[in-house]
Amino acid sequence: MRKVFQAELHQVGEQLVEISRLVTEAMEKANTAFTTADTELAQDVIASDARIDFLQNHLDERAIEILALQGPVASDLRVIVGSLRMSASLERMGDLARHIAQLTRMRYPELVIPEHLRPTFAQFAEHDIAISRSLTELLDTRNLDLARDINRHNEQVNELHAGIFKAIASPDFNAAPSTAVDVALASRYFERFADHGISVSRKVTYLVTGEWTTNGNVG
């Protein structure tokens, strides 16, 4: 019975890795659509989010079944509860990639971001994609060096996010109000994507070390 239980825990871990890979793919595609006004690719991201939602629901159902039937305690209980919380964060990351794709589709044929801010959003995407790729590897390997890399990327995202709001508030920002809203929303989406990545990273670190860290804020 113990071997069966461990196999079930391993399967839950593999499902988390699969969801994380899909989230990474969604953000990569969403960013390409965002920077090129590619509505077909944006629609692919939007449609593919249903797969992430399905896998999250399946994982949660399996985890709850394990809780009910196996009655795990101590570290095994932490793994199951942690998996439920991590799957929720990963699903939210998929939603945020979808939101970016929806902005792209809504503003077609124009690009969402004014030209002078596009380099900043290119950096946003670079850091978010790096976080997502590292997160997938972290879930697979439990190599905590990756968690430290994720923290560093998140710090850069937070700085970019703060800079965007300063730019919008600047007297030099003379774009239409709708553009200001789009810029603020897009910045928020990229920033929250990184924060949810930090949330998952913290939980993996806790499972490995037994010590809880409080870097990053997620809501």
Side-chain angles (χ1 to χ4, degrees):
M1 288 297 294
R2 184 66 184 174
K3 288 183 178 179
V4 171
F5 178 52
Q6 289 301 319
E8 290 175 332
L9 287 182
H10 182 69
Q11 185 178 40
V12 168
E14 288 181 333
Q15 289 174 329
L16 283 172
V17 172
E18 182 181 1
I19 295 170
S20 186
R21 287 190 180 121
L22 289 174
V23 166
T24 301
E25 181 180 335
M27 178 52 84
E28 289 170 344
K29 289 182 176 180
N31 178 60
T32 299
F34 186 72
T35 56
T36 62
D38 186 333
T39 55
E40 288 187 11
L41 191 58
Q43 184 57 41
D44 182 45
V45 174
I46 294 165
S48 296
D49 188 54
R51 175 65 177 166
I52 294 173
D53 294 345
F54 171 81
L55 289 174
Q56 189 230 348
N57 288 334
H58 183 268
L59 184 152
D60 288 358
E61 289 172 2
R62 187 72 192 111
I64 291 169
E65 184 178 345
I66 293 171
L67 282 171
L69 298 179
Q70 301 289 354
V73 295
S75 61
D76 291 337
L77 180 60
R78 289 199 297 271
V79 169
I80 294 299
V81 174
S83 296
L84 285 165
R85 297 180 68 185
M86 286 187 281
S87 73
S89 286
L90 289 169
E91 188 273 337
R92 184 58 183 150
M93 291 169 77
D95 285 346
L96 290 161
R98 173 170 53 84
H99 291 338
I100 291 167
Q102 287 170 328
L103 266 181
T104 300
R105 190 177 64 175
M106 182 172 64
R107 294 306 177 198
Y108 178 82
E110 302 297 328
L111 292 174
V112 176
I113 304 301
E115 185 174 358
H116 70 286
L117 291 177
R118 288 171 197 166
T120 300
F121 278 87
Q123 292 178 63
F124 264 130
E126 180 181 345
H127 290 299
D128 274 10
I129 291 168
I131 286 170
S132 196
R133 289 173 177 170
S134 292
L135 192 59
T136 301
E137 189 174 352
L138 175 63
L139 286 165
D140 191 33
T141 66
R142 304 297 174 92
N143 177 358
L144 296 186
D145 287 339
L146 294 162
R148 288 182 278 274
D149 290 340
I150 290 168
N151 284 337
R152 286 192 290 270
H153 284 293
N154 183 62
E155 289 170 0
Q156 295 299 311
V157 169
N158 288 338
E159 289 183 12
L160 292 169
H161 184 54
I164 285 296
F165 280 87
K166 288 180 182 177
I168 293 173
S170 169
D172 295 332
F173 191 85
N174 56 7
S178 60
T179 299
V181 171
D182 288 346
V183 169
L185 281 175
S187 180
R188 183 67 168 171
Y189 296 153
F190 281 108
E191 186 261 345
R192 298 317 280 169
F193 185 95
D195 275 352
H196 281 282
I198 280 287
S199 178
V200 177
S201 177
R202 289 206 313 263
K203 291 176 180 67
V204 174
T205 300
Y206 174 65
L207 292 177
V208 173
T209 67
E211 299 178 359
W212 183 253
T213 61
T214 56
N215 296 328
N217 299 306
V218 176

